[in-house]
mmCIF file with all atom_site columns, all heavy atoms in Angstrom:
data_model
loop_
_atom_site.group_PDB
_atom_site.id
_atom_site.type_symbol
_atom_site.label_atom_id
_atom_site.label_alt_id
_atom_site.label_comp_id
_atom_site.label_asym_id
_atom_site.label_entity_id
_atom_site.label_seq_id
_atom_site.pdbx_PDB_ins_code
_atom_site.Cartn_x
_atom_site.Cartn_y
_atom_site.Cartn_z
_atom_site.occupancy
_atom_site.B_iso_or_equiv
_atom_site.pdbx_formal_charge
_atom_site.auth_seq_id
_atom_site.auth_comp_id
_atom_site.auth_asym_id
_atom_site.auth_atom_id
_atom_site.pdbx_PDB_model_num
ATOM 1   N N   . LEU A 1 40 ? -37.280 -0.620 20.668 1.00 0.00 ? 123 LEU A N   1
ATOM 2   C CA  . LEU A 1 40 ? -38.613 -1.019 21.103 1.00 0.00 ? 123 LEU A CA  1
ATOM 3   C C   . LEU A 1 40 ? -39.621 -0.509 20.085 1.00 0.00 ? 123 LEU A C   1
ATOM 4   O O   . LEU A 1 40 ? -39.372 0.493  19.400 1.00 0.00 ? 123 LEU A O   1
ATOM 5   C CB  . LEU A 1 40 ? -38.897 -0.453 22.493 1.00 0.00 ? 123 LEU A CB  1
ATOM 6   C CG  . LEU A 1 40 ? -37.939 -0.921 23.590 1.00 0.00 ? 123 LEU A CG  1
ATOM 7   C CD1 . LEU A 1 40 ? -38.166 -0.136 24.878 1.00 0.00 ? 123 LEU A CD1 1
ATOM 8   C CD2 . LEU A 1 40 ? -38.099 -2.408 23.849 1.00 0.00 ? 123 LEU A CD2 1
ATOM 9   N N   . PRO A 1 41 ? -40.763 -1.159 19.983 1.00 0.00 ? 124 PRO A N   1
ATOM 10  C CA  . PRO A 1 41 ? -41.751 -0.758 18.967 1.00 0.00 ? 124 PRO A CA  1
ATOM 11  C C   . PRO A 1 41 ? -42.125 0.716  19.067 1.00 0.00 ? 124 PRO A C   1
ATOM 12  O O   . PRO A 1 41 ? -42.424 1.224  20.147 1.00 0.00 ? 124 PRO A O   1
ATOM 13  C CB  . PRO A 1 41 ? -42.944 -1.655 19.286 1.00 0.00 ? 124 PRO A CB  1
ATOM 14  C CG  . PRO A 1 41 ? -42.346 -2.865 19.930 1.00 0.00 ? 124 PRO A CG  1
ATOM 15  C CD  . PRO A 1 41 ? -41.183 -2.358 20.728 1.00 0.00 ? 124 PRO A CD  1
ATOM 16  N N   . GLY A 1 42 ? -42.063 1.413  17.937 1.00 0.00 ? 125 GLY A N   1
ATOM 17  C CA  . GLY A 1 42 ? -42.482 2.801  17.875 1.00 0.00 ? 125 GLY A CA  1
ATOM 18  C C   . GLY A 1 42 ? -41.547 3.799  18.514 1.00 0.00 ? 125 GLY A C   1
ATOM 19  O O   . GLY A 1 42 ? -41.918 4.964  18.704 1.00 0.00 ? 125 GLY A O   1
ATOM 20  N N   . THR A 1 43 ? -40.332 3.369  18.831 1.00 0.00 ? 126 THR A N   1
ATOM 21  C CA  . THR A 1 43 ? -39.388 4.286  19.482 1.00 0.00 ? 126 THR A CA  1
ATOM 22  C C   . THR A 1 43 ? -38.080 4.355  18.708 1.00 0.00 ? 126 THR A C   1
ATOM 23  O O   . THR A 1 43 ? -37.804 3.517  17.850 1.00 0.00 ? 126 THR A O   1
ATOM 24  C CB  . THR A 1 43 ? -39.087 3.864  20.924 1.00 0.00 ? 126 THR A CB  1
ATOM 25  O OG1 . THR A 1 43 ? -38.320 2.649  20.905 1.00 0.00 ? 126 THR A OG1 1
ATOM 26  C CG2 . THR A 1 43 ? -40.365 3.650  21.719 1.00 0.00 ? 126 THR A CG2 1
ATOM 27  N N   . ALA A 1 44 ? -37.273 5.351  19.040 1.00 0.00 ? 127 ALA A N   1
ATOM 28  C CA  . ALA A 1 44 ? -35.946 5.449  18.449 1.00 0.00 ? 127 ALA A CA  1
ATOM 29  C C   . ALA A 1 44 ? -35.032 4.379  19.028 1.00 0.00 ? 127 ALA A C   1
ATOM 30  O O   . ALA A 1 44 ? -35.239 3.919  20.163 1.00 0.00 ? 127 ALA A O   1
ATOM 31  C CB  . ALA A 1 44 ? -35.361 6.835  18.721 1.00 0.00 ? 127 ALA A CB  1
ATOM 32  N N   . PRO A 1 45 ? -34.028 3.967  18.276 1.00 0.00 ? 128 PRO A N   1
ATOM 33  C CA  . PRO A 1 45 ? -33.079 2.983  18.806 1.00 0.00 ? 128 PRO A CA  1
ATOM 34  C C   . PRO A 1 45 ? -32.330 3.519  20.016 1.00 0.00 ? 128 PRO A C   1
ATOM 35  O O   . PRO A 1 45 ? -32.228 4.726  20.234 1.00 0.00 ? 128 PRO A O   1
ATOM 36  C CB  . PRO A 1 45 ? -32.125 2.752  17.627 1.00 0.00 ? 128 PRO A CB  1
ATOM 37  C CG  . PRO A 1 45 ? -32.901 3.151  16.422 1.00 0.00 ? 128 PRO A CG  1
ATOM 38  C CD  . PRO A 1 45 ? -33.765 4.295  16.878 1.00 0.00 ? 128 PRO A CD  1
ATOM 39  N N   . ARG A 1 46 ? -31.765 2.586  20.789 1.00 0.00 ? 129 ARG A N   1
ATOM 40  C CA  . ARG A 1 46 ? -30.987 2.903  21.981 1.00 0.00 ? 129 ARG A CA  1
ATOM 41  C C   . ARG A 1 46 ? -29.753 2.016  21.960 1.00 0.00 ? 129 ARG A C   1
ATOM 42  O O   . ARG A 1 46 ? -29.861 0.813  21.742 1.00 0.00 ? 129 ARG A O   1
ATOM 43  C CB  . ARG A 1 46 ? -31.833 2.611  23.218 1.00 0.00 ? 129 ARG A CB  1
ATOM 44  C CG  . ARG A 1 46 ? -31.078 2.489  24.543 1.00 0.00 ? 129 ARG A CG  1
ATOM 45  C CD  . ARG A 1 46 ? -31.903 1.645  25.515 1.00 0.00 ? 129 ARG A CD  1
ATOM 46  N NE  . ARG A 1 46 ? -31.288 1.562  26.834 1.00 0.00 ? 129 ARG A NE  1
ATOM 47  C CZ  . ARG A 1 46 ? -31.596 0.645  27.743 1.00 0.00 ? 129 ARG A CZ  1
ATOM 48  N NH1 . ARG A 1 46 ? -32.521 -0.257 27.473 1.00 0.00 ? 129 ARG A NH1 1
ATOM 49  N NH2 . ARG A 1 46 ? -31.002 0.635  28.913 1.00 0.00 ? 129 ARG A NH2 1
ATOM 50  N N   . ILE A 1 47 ? -28.583 2.592  22.206 1.00 0.00 ? 130 ILE A N   1
ATOM 51  C CA  . ILE A 1 47 ? -27.387 1.773  22.189 1.00 0.00 ? 130 ILE A CA  1
ATOM 52  C C   . ILE A 1 47 ? -27.306 0.941  23.463 1.00 0.00 ? 130 ILE A C   1
ATOM 53  O O   . ILE A 1 47 ? -27.544 1.449  24.566 1.00 0.00 ? 130 ILE A O   1
ATOM 54  C CB  . ILE A 1 47 ? -26.108 2.636  21.999 1.00 0.00 ? 130 ILE A CB  1
ATOM 55  C CG1 . ILE A 1 47 ? -24.890 1.737  21.787 1.00 0.00 ? 130 ILE A CG1 1
ATOM 56  C CG2 . ILE A 1 47 ? -25.892 3.616  23.153 1.00 0.00 ? 130 ILE A CG2 1
ATOM 57  C CD1 . ILE A 1 47 ? -23.729 2.422  21.126 1.00 0.00 ? 130 ILE A CD1 1
ATOM 58  N N   . VAL A 1 48 ? -27.006 -0.347 23.327 1.00 0.00 ? 131 VAL A N   1
ATOM 59  C CA  . VAL A 1 48 ? -26.887 -1.227 24.495 1.00 0.00 ? 131 VAL A CA  1
ATOM 60  C C   . VAL A 1 48 ? -25.465 -1.786 24.661 1.00 0.00 ? 131 VAL A C   1
ATOM 61  O O   . VAL A 1 48 ? -25.089 -2.177 25.759 1.00 0.00 ? 131 VAL A O   1
ATOM 62  C CB  . VAL A 1 48 ? -27.914 -2.384 24.466 1.00 0.00 ? 131 VAL A CB  1
ATOM 63  C CG1 . VAL A 1 48 ? -29.330 -1.850 24.643 1.00 0.00 ? 131 VAL A CG1 1
ATOM 64  C CG2 . VAL A 1 48 ? -27.806 -3.203 23.177 1.00 0.00 ? 131 VAL A CG2 1
ATOM 65  N N   . ILE A 1 49 ? -24.702 -1.830 23.549 1.00 0.00 ? 132 ILE A N   1
ATOM 66  C CA  . ILE A 1 49 ? -23.303 -2.250 23.613 1.00 0.00 ? 132 ILE A CA  1
ATOM 67  C C   . ILE A 1 49 ? -22.496 -1.361 22.663 1.00 0.00 ? 132 ILE A C   1
ATOM 68  O O   . ILE A 1 49 ? -22.902 -1.149 21.515 1.00 0.00 ? 132 ILE A O   1
ATOM 69  C CB  . ILE A 1 49 ? -23.118 -3.724 23.198 1.00 0.00 ? 132 ILE A CB  1
ATOM 70  C CG1 . ILE A 1 49 ? -23.772 -4.662 24.209 1.00 0.00 ? 132 ILE A CG1 1
ATOM 71  C CG2 . ILE A 1 49 ? -21.622 -4.068 23.040 1.00 0.00 ? 132 ILE A CG2 1
ATOM 72  C CD1 . ILE A 1 49 ? -23.096 -4.730 25.586 1.00 0.00 ? 132 ILE A CD1 1
ATOM 73  N N   . HIS A 1 50 ? -21.379 -0.845 23.116 1.00 0.00 ? 133 HIS A N   1
ATOM 74  C CA  . HIS A 1 50 ? -20.482 -0.105 22.229 1.00 0.00 ? 133 HIS A CA  1
ATOM 75  C C   . HIS A 1 50 ? -19.076 -0.692 22.336 1.00 0.00 ? 133 HIS A C   1
ATOM 76  O O   . HIS A 1 50 ? -18.744 -1.381 23.310 1.00 0.00 ? 133 HIS A O   1
ATOM 77  C CB  . HIS A 1 50 ? -20.496 1.387  22.556 1.00 0.00 ? 133 HIS A CB  1
ATOM 78  C CG  . HIS A 1 50 ? -19.744 1.766  23.805 1.00 0.00 ? 133 HIS A CG  1
ATOM 79  N ND1 . HIS A 1 50 ? -18.485 2.338  23.794 1.00 0.00 ? 133 HIS A ND1 1
ATOM 80  C CD2 . HIS A 1 50 ? -20.075 1.640  25.101 1.00 0.00 ? 133 HIS A CD2 1
ATOM 81  C CE1 . HIS A 1 50 ? -18.087 2.539  25.027 1.00 0.00 ? 133 HIS A CE1 1
ATOM 82  N NE2 . HIS A 1 50 ? -19.033 2.135  25.848 1.00 0.00 ? 133 HIS A NE2 1
ATOM 83  N N   . ASN A 1 51 ? -18.285 -0.418 21.311 1.00 0.00 ? 134 ASN A N   1
ATOM 84  C CA  . ASN A 1 51 ? -16.908 -0.933 21.281 1.00 0.00 ? 134 ASN A CA  1
ATOM 85  C C   . ASN A 1 51 ? -16.848 -2.423 21.588 1.00 0.00 ? 134 ASN A C   1
ATOM 86  O O   . ASN A 1 51 ? -16.081 -2.872 22.457 1.00 0.00 ? 134 ASN A O   1
ATOM 87  C CB  . ASN A 1 51 ? -16.022 -0.161 22.254 1.00 0.00 ? 134 ASN A CB  1
ATOM 88  C CG  . ASN A 1 51 ? -15.730 1.241  21.774 1.00 0.00 ? 134 ASN A CG  1
ATOM 89  O OD1 . ASN A 1 51 ? -16.199 1.651  20.714 1.00 0.00 ? 134 ASN A OD1 1
ATOM 90  N ND2 . ASN A 1 51 ? -14.978 1.992  22.552 1.00 0.00 ? 134 ASN A ND2 1
ATOM 91  N N   . ASN A 1 52 ? -17.658 -3.177 20.906 1.00 0.00 ? 135 ASN A N   1
ATOM 92  C CA  . ASN A 1 52 ? -17.689 -4.652 20.960 1.00 0.00 ? 135 ASN A CA  1
ATOM 93  C C   . ASN A 1 52 ? -18.315 -5.226 22.221 1.00 0.00 ? 135 ASN A C   1
ATOM 94  O O   . ASN A 1 52 ? -19.127 -6.152 22.145 1.00 0.00 ? 135 ASN A O   1
ATOM 95  C CB  . ASN A 1 52 ? -16.271 -5.240 20.825 1.00 0.00 ? 135 ASN A CB  1
ATOM 96  C CG  . ASN A 1 52 ? -15.546 -4.775 19.591 1.00 0.00 ? 135 ASN A CG  1
ATOM 97  O OD1 . ASN A 1 52 ? -16.164 -4.587 18.538 1.00 0.00 ? 135 ASN A OD1 1
ATOM 98  N ND2 . ASN A 1 52 ? -14.248 -4.584 19.710 1.00 0.00 ? 135 ASN A ND2 1
ATOM 99  N N   . ASN A 1 53 ? -17.901 -4.735 23.382 1.00 0.00 ? 136 ASN A N   1
ATOM 100 C CA  . ASN A 1 53 ? -18.325 -5.398 24.625 1.00 0.00 ? 136 ASN A CA  1
ATOM 101 C C   . ASN A 1 53 ? -18.519 -4.439 25.795 1.00 0.00 ? 136 ASN A C   1
ATOM 102 O O   . ASN A 1 53 ? -18.610 -4.893 26.947 1.00 0.00 ? 136 ASN A O   1
ATOM 103 C CB  . ASN A 1 53 ? -17.305 -6.473 25.004 1.00 0.00 ? 136 ASN A CB  1
ATOM 104 C CG  . ASN A 1 53 ? -15.895 -5.909 25.123 1.00 0.00 ? 136 ASN A CG  1
ATOM 105 O OD1 . ASN A 1 53 ? -15.701 -4.703 25.233 1.00 0.00 ? 136 ASN A OD1 1
ATOM 106 N ND2 . ASN A 1 53 ? -14.906 -6.777 25.074 1.00 0.00 ? 136 ASN A ND2 1
ATOM 107 N N   . GLN A 1 54 ? -18.587 -3.144 25.519 1.00 0.00 ? 137 GLN A N   1
ATOM 108 C CA  . GLN A 1 54 ? -18.749 -2.166 26.586 1.00 0.00 ? 137 GLN A CA  1
ATOM 109 C C   . GLN A 1 54 ? -20.224 -1.791 26.748 1.00 0.00 ? 137 GLN A C   1
ATOM 110 O O   . GLN A 1 54 ? -20.909 -1.493 25.779 1.00 0.00 ? 137 GLN A O   1
ATOM 111 C CB  . GLN A 1 54 ? -17.921 -0.909 26.276 1.00 0.00 ? 137 GLN A CB  1
ATOM 112 C CG  . GLN A 1 54 ? -16.436 -1.186 26.075 1.00 0.00 ? 137 GLN A CG  1
ATOM 113 C CD  . GLN A 1 54 ? -15.818 -1.803 27.304 1.00 0.00 ? 137 GLN A CD  1
ATOM 114 O OE1 . GLN A 1 54 ? -15.856 -1.231 28.389 1.00 0.00 ? 137 GLN A OE1 1
ATOM 115 N NE2 . GLN A 1 54 ? -15.241 -3.010 27.142 1.00 0.00 ? 137 GLN A NE2 1
ATOM 116 N N   . ARG A 1 55 ? -20.653 -1.781 27.980 1.00 0.00 ? 138 ARG A N   1
ATOM 117 C CA  . ARG A 1 55 ? -22.048 -1.497 28.272 1.00 0.00 ? 138 ARG A CA  1
ATOM 118 C C   . ARG A 1 55 ? -22.184 -0.061 28.746 1.00 0.00 ? 138 ARG A C   1
ATOM 119 O O   . ARG A 1 55 ? -21.588 0.327  29.759 1.00 0.00 ? 138 ARG A O   1
ATOM 120 C CB  . ARG A 1 55 ? -22.540 -2.469 29.350 1.00 0.00 ? 138 ARG A CB  1
ATOM 121 C CG  . ARG A 1 55 ? -24.007 -2.717 29.408 1.00 0.00 ? 138 ARG A CG  1
ATOM 122 C CD  . ARG A 1 55 ? -24.342 -3.834 30.404 1.00 0.00 ? 138 ARG A CD  1
ATOM 123 N NE  . ARG A 1 55 ? -23.596 -3.714 31.637 1.00 0.00 ? 138 ARG A NE  1
ATOM 124 C CZ  . ARG A 1 55 ? -22.618 -4.535 31.992 1.00 0.00 ? 138 ARG A CZ  1
ATOM 125 N NH1 . ARG A 1 55 ? -22.266 -5.534 31.187 1.00 0.00 ? 138 ARG A NH1 1
ATOM 126 N NH2 . ARG A 1 55 ? -21.985 -4.357 33.142 1.00 0.00 ? 138 ARG A NH2 1
ATOM 127 N N   . PRO A 1 56 ? -22.960 0.772  28.014 1.00 0.00 ? 139 PRO A N   1
ATOM 128 C CA  . PRO A 1 56 ? -23.165 2.155  28.472 1.00 0.00 ? 139 PRO A CA  1
ATOM 129 C C   . PRO A 1 56 ? -23.846 2.186  29.836 1.00 0.00 ? 139 PRO A C   1
ATOM 130 O O   . PRO A 1 56 ? -24.547 1.230  30.217 1.00 0.00 ? 139 PRO A O   1
ATOM 131 C CB  . PRO A 1 56 ? -24.078 2.742  27.397 1.00 0.00 ? 139 PRO A CB  1
ATOM 132 C CG  . PRO A 1 56 ? -23.860 1.885  26.187 1.00 0.00 ? 139 PRO A CG  1
ATOM 133 C CD  . PRO A 1 56 ? -23.605 0.507  26.729 1.00 0.00 ? 139 PRO A CD  1
ATOM 134 N N   . SER A 1 57 ? -23.651 3.265  30.549 1.00 0.00 ? 140 SER A N   1
ATOM 135 C CA  . SER A 1 57 ? -24.298 3.392  31.847 1.00 0.00 ? 140 SER A CA  1
ATOM 136 C C   . SER A 1 57 ? -25.815 3.350  31.666 1.00 0.00 ? 140 SER A C   1
ATOM 137 O O   . SER A 1 57 ? -26.358 3.902  30.709 1.00 0.00 ? 140 SER A O   1
ATOM 138 C CB  . SER A 1 57 ? -23.880 4.691  32.540 1.00 0.00 ? 140 SER A CB  1
ATOM 139 O OG  . SER A 1 57 ? -24.251 5.802  31.746 1.00 0.00 ? 140 SER A OG  1
#
Side-chain angles (χ1 to χ4, degrees):
Chain A
L123 299 171
T126 69
R129 163 204 184 198
I130 188 159
V131 292
I132 293 291
H133 75 102
N134 288 1
N135 305 324
N136 56 17
Q137 303 300 302
R138 204 173 43 251
S140 60

